[in-house]
Amino acid sequence: MNKQAKFSDFEALYAKVKSIADTGDDAMLRLRAICHLLKDNVPHYDWVGFYFVNPENGNELVLGPFAGEPTEHTRIPYGSGICGRVAISKEPLVIQDVSKEDNYLSCSVSVRSEIVMPIFRDGKFVGELDIDSHMLAPFERGDLDFLGRVSTLLANLI
Ligand code: SME
């Protein structure tokens, strides 16, 4: 069992995400505020960020707004690492233990697990929501459901 209490109030957090999404602020500022909201409120979210499809070539992800330590992975080719794999599969990916992955781009030695949610606008893949955790195997069905709803809600800001 993890040391920290499991986060369970995704419903209340979704309402806060929506209230930020509904403001008239600049879209990138809203996305950045939402990254901070998620990182600050969910104990097992240690890095939260968006990657966007590079519209110039459509085969690479470019780092967007994020909360947490800066990462060297500002551009990720499709197929490379967890994010690049999701860009090809276009399916959510939960990695409960990154040490078991061969195709993984490390941002920090503290990261133990990762979850990536693809984002679609009008059925087209436009980016990803990427979350790193310093905990081993913290992700549950509730995370997938919540992040899926958040990705759908935010698709029109990307
Ligand atoms: N770990 C990711 C790279 C992005 S960082 O987590 C911010 C990957 O393997 O694609």
Side-chain angles (χ1 to χ4, degrees):
M1 192 57 195
N2 294 318
K3 279 182 286 181
Q4 288 160 297
K6 280 282 178 192
F7 182 82
S8 57
D9 204 354
F10 283 119
E11 208 51 51
L13 191 57
Y14 181 81
K16 288 183 189 165
V17 170
K18 186 159 186 340
S19 71
I20 294 174
D22 288 345
T23 65
D25 295 346
D26 172 79
M28 293 305 118
L29 291 180
R30 278 184 272 171
L31 292 178
R32 190 189 308 147
I34 289 163
C35 290
H36 282 280
L37 177 77
L38 267 50
K39 178 181 179 293
D40 294 346
N41 283 276
V42 185
H44 57 288
Y45 292 1
D46 293 292
W47 189 95
V48 179
F50 291 91
Y51 281 94
F52 304 138
V53 172
N54 184 345
E56 285 170 20
N57 57 27
N59 60 20
E60 149 184 277
L61 298 164
V62 180
L63 181 64
F66 67 94
E69 293 294 308
T71 172
E72 66 186 271
H73 302 297
T74 55
R75 285 169 183 266
I76 300 178
Y78 280 22
S80 180
I82 315 292
C83 293
R85 282 153 62 185
V86 169
I88 290 175
S89 72
K90 300 181 174 51
E91 298 281 348
L93 188 53
V94 179
I95 304 293
Q96 300 285 20
D97 181 354
V98 296
S99 74
K100 300 209 170 92
E101 296 299 311
D102 292 331
N103 188 0
Y104 167 68
L105 304 171
S106 174
C107 286
S108 145
V109 288
S110 307
V111 175
R112 314 279 305 276
S113 55
E114 178 161 357
I115 186 168
V116 179
M117 185 62 60
I119 304 175
F120 301 92
R121 191 179 58 237
D122 301 327
K124 189 167 172 257
F125 174 67
V126 290
E128 300 178 354
L129 176 54
D130 178 24
I131 296 178
D132 287 346
S133 178
H134 295 173
M135 294 171 75
L136 194 61
F139 300 115
E140 297 181 338
R141 184 79 235 169
D143 297 273
L144 269 174
D145 292 345
F146 169 68
L147 297 171
R149 289 174 69 200
V150 167
S151 297
T152 302
L153 177 72
L154 302 180
N156 63 352
L157 298 186
I158 290 169

